[in-house]
Amino acid sequence: MTSFVQTEFFHNYRRSTSAVVGSALMLAFAFAVTAGPFLVDQNPYDIAALNLMDSYKPPVWLEGGDPRFLLGTDGQGRDVWASILYGARISVFIGLVAMIASCVIGTVLGLIAGFYGGIVDSVIMRIADIQLSFPSILIALFLMSAVGTGVDKVLIALTAVGWVVYARTVRGATLSEIKKEYVQAAKVAGLPNSKIIRKHVLPNVMTPLIVIATIQVGTFVLIEASLSFLGVGVPITQPSLGLLIKNGFDVLFSGLWWTSVFPGLAIMTLVFGINLFGDFLRDELNPRLK
Amino acid sequence: MTVQTQHALLAVRDLRTYFHTFSGTVKAVNGVSFDIGEGEIMGLVGESGGGKSVVGFSILGLIDSPGQIMGGQILLNGEDLVTAGEDRLRQIRGREISMVFQDPMTSLNPLHTVGQQMDEVLRLHSDLDAAARRKACVEMLESVGISRAADRLGAYPHQFSGGMRQRVVIAIAMLAKPRLIIADEPTTALDVTIQSQILKLMRQQIAARGASMILITHDLAVVSEMADHITVLYCGNVVERGRTRDLIETPAHPYTRGLIDSIPDPANRHPRLKQIPGTVPDIRNLPKGCNFRDRCPRAQALCAVEEPQLRPQNASQWAACHYPLQPGDLA
């Protein structure tokens, strides 16, 4: 057995600037969202810890900046840096959980559609086609206005939007796998369909999903931010990065730019890191691009 | 119209497997009958699209929509597989009847080790515990000529060469001690030098276990070395059937004759290899009368009107031709 460090994958990873930068950004965010609350003194959601006297302090390097508030404060005297750390937890949590839910649901439906074909396939894929003909933000908006707001509702909306891409990818890959003789051989050996799907088809269709899943976390963070910015996302008591931007947006043009711009930069950095790493994975896992 | 053997392990009677497509019904197998006795090897021969593989998959009950078995019987020891339920068929697959595929590069799952893929069959079809299954796998790999079998159980398919993989595929097919093995072009994807090794191995394995085999191939040369008797398919019909030696030496059907003539003969180099003129007709829209008449040098007016039936030519040979070749005839 060769260790991971000796693999071609690791070798290519080290030589790829975008992969190293992307994964460094992702690691930084992983650290920030896990250790975040221990890095700052103030809990931005604890009303008792806020002091209105501290409202709209600019970042430390500007005139009037307060050394306690690195990136300034918002209208309630909330530390922007602390808000970002807490908000990124919500954003990343939503992105990850919605990705996992979409991946599981989409993969199962795609396997069923591809393996059994016929009417089941038609129904699943036509639903997917209809859904793909609308912009995903529109579907999410529509669902949110129907089921209400909250973290769980955002997760439902994102999953409802996100499963389609997995279902289509898995169905296509399944169709090409089940033509291969090893699947026929498994049937000839007398294996039940459920076992053939789990043990033979699923492992062989998973590779493209890794790339989709990675990139999708970034996409979901952005959609969630858009929903929250439009006011149908997470509640004000659990502000995500998108909601932070919205909260600062009202005063953005009064010169109090920091409350919106810093959360915006945080989202940008996070999605940028995810996409850089996702691009590397796509090149690495697709033998045709090598 | 059948050659009766004393102990027919498998008896196929008037099998009809049709595919319903938008452009018409494809009668891929249209009234095929044959018998295979215990320990016999039957060659199933024909051109591409002749329905050979469909016969194999029909026997296993693995015809997928839009295909459908429209009629006939497939009797395994007297039990009709056409009317058997899916649960019963799943018991039979792998245990009573197994299959060796054409391309060993794709007939093993690339993500599981050889040992896992062998174990899977035994877990399904035997009551052995893990240690006994492992022992059985090692013995089977050794018997198909893979050295250091115990070590190779942990190897992945890509670590084997094509010929070695086909040995593994044969080992998997033999594991549950099936009584019938359907080999669908088992050597077509292999190097010529490996082909004869694999054929020899298969014959040994069959003989050692007293199993029977259907050898599906387009290569009459392969089948003439292996089979006890041969069934020639053309457009889903049996056109000729007989004991191997008789059929090769004195073919009665002009199509069989054409297949034999198109085997390259290294001792007698013709400037150009003989071939059967024309192509297989569109099977969705077969002409009236004999399907082969447009390509047949002996066709006459009757061939366009009446479809020939299988008729005995001599003690062991049957042919479906109005004007069969006689021994000594030159095509």
Side-chain angles (χ1 to χ4, degrees), chain B residues 258-278:
Chain B
L259 288 179
I260 293 168
D261 282 345
S262 55
I263 301 172
D265 180 4
N268 184 13
R269 281 180 167 268
H270 291 284
R272 205 187 148 97
L273 196 62
K274 276 198 186 174
Q275 60 178 34
I276 304 174

Side-chain angles (χ1 to χ4, degrees), chain A residues 203-221:
Chain A
N204 280 296
V205 300
M206 291 235 296
T207 314
L209 300 188
I210 299 172
V211 179
I212 298 176
T214 311
I215 306 249
Q216 199 181 50
V217 175
T219 315
F220 278 168
V221 167

Side-chain angles (χ1 to χ4, degrees), chain A:
Chain A
M1 289 299 275
T2 51
S3 75
F4 179 69
V5 179
Q6 290 169 300
T7 57
E8 186 191 353
F9 182 84
F10 187 74
H11 176 79
N12 289 344
Y13 169 80
R14 280 222 321 224
R15 285 156 50 103
S16 159
T17 316
S18 65
V20 173
V21 171
S23 53
L25 288 174
M26 282 165 67
L27 274 179
F29 265 90
F31 176 72
V33 298
T34 44
F38 305 104
L39 297 177
V40 288
D41 302 329
Q42 190 195 56
N43 177 354
Y45 306 127
D46 182 3
I47 307 285
L50 304 180
N51 185 346
L52 272 181
M53 296 300 289
D54 294 330
S55 65
Y56 292 129
K57 295 259 192 226
V60 275
W61 60 88
L62 292 180
E63 202 183 324
D66 186 318
R68 285 180 299 151
F69 306 116
L70 179 67
L71 302 176
T73 59
D74 70 2
Q76 269 92 45
R78 219 178 255 135
D79 183 5
V80 171
W81 172 233
S83 304
I84 289 175
L85 288 180
Y86 276 78
R89 302 186 88 174
I90 310 274
S91 291
V92 170
F93 170 80
I94 288 175
L96 280 177
V97 173
M99 176 274 281
I100 292 167
S102 309
C103 187
V104 170
I105 293 173
T107 304
V108 168
L109 289 176
L111 282 170
I112 292 172
F115 192 86
Y116 290 101
I119 187 97
V120 190
D121 180 28
S122 300
V123 170
I124 293 175
M125 294 328 286
R126 287 308 79 73
I127 294 173
D129 286 345
I130 292 168
Q131 206 165 317
L132 275 181
S133 61
F134 294 98
S136 48
I137 184 77
L138 188 67
I139 299 171
L141 255 178
F142 173 74
L143 282 171
M144 297 299 292
S145 55
V147 296
T149 58
V151 171
D152 51 341
K153 310 296 190 325
V154 175
L155 288 176
I156 292 172
L158 289 180
T159 307
V161 167
W163 67 274
V164 177
V165 57
Y166 296 97
R168 285 173 69 100
T169 310
V170 168
R171 173 181 175 269
T174 302
L175 284 180
S176 79
E177 285 305 312
I178 60 175
K179 288 203 191 79
K180 296 194 181 159
E181 285 183 341
Y182 72 87
V183 175
Q184 291 287 340
K187 283 188 187 174
V188 168
L191 252 64
N193 284 341
S194 58
K195 207 164 191 177
I196 295 175
I197 293 176
R198 259 187 301 122
K199 284 194 66 180
H200 292 284
V201 181
L202 176 62
N204 280 296
V205 300
M206 291 235 296
T207 314
L209 300 188
I210 299 172
V211 179
I212 298 176
T214 311
I215 306 249
Q216 199 181 50
V217 175
T219 315
F220 278 168
V221 167
L222 282 179
I223 296 181
E224 182 280 320
S226 309
L227 289 173
S228 295
F229 184 80
L230 294 169
V232 290
V234 294
I236 195 85
T237 50
Q238 288 172 293
S240 65
L241 293 175
L243 194 55
L244 293 179
I245 298 176
K246 173 189 155 65
N247 289 344
F249 187 69
D250 303 333
V251 292
L252 183 60
F253 297 106
S254 323
L256 308 168
W257 50 270
W258 52 86
T259 47
S260 270
V261 167
F262 289 120
L265 282 174
I267 291 184
M268 196 204 82
T269 319
L270 172 61
V271 176
F272 181 61
I274 291 172
N275 284 352
L276 278 182
F277 190 68
D279 277 355
F280 164 73
L281 281 183
R282 190 192 57 210
D283 295 349
E284 200 50 38
L285 298 177
N286 186 345
R288 255 172 297 171
L289 290 177
K290 275 196 178 175

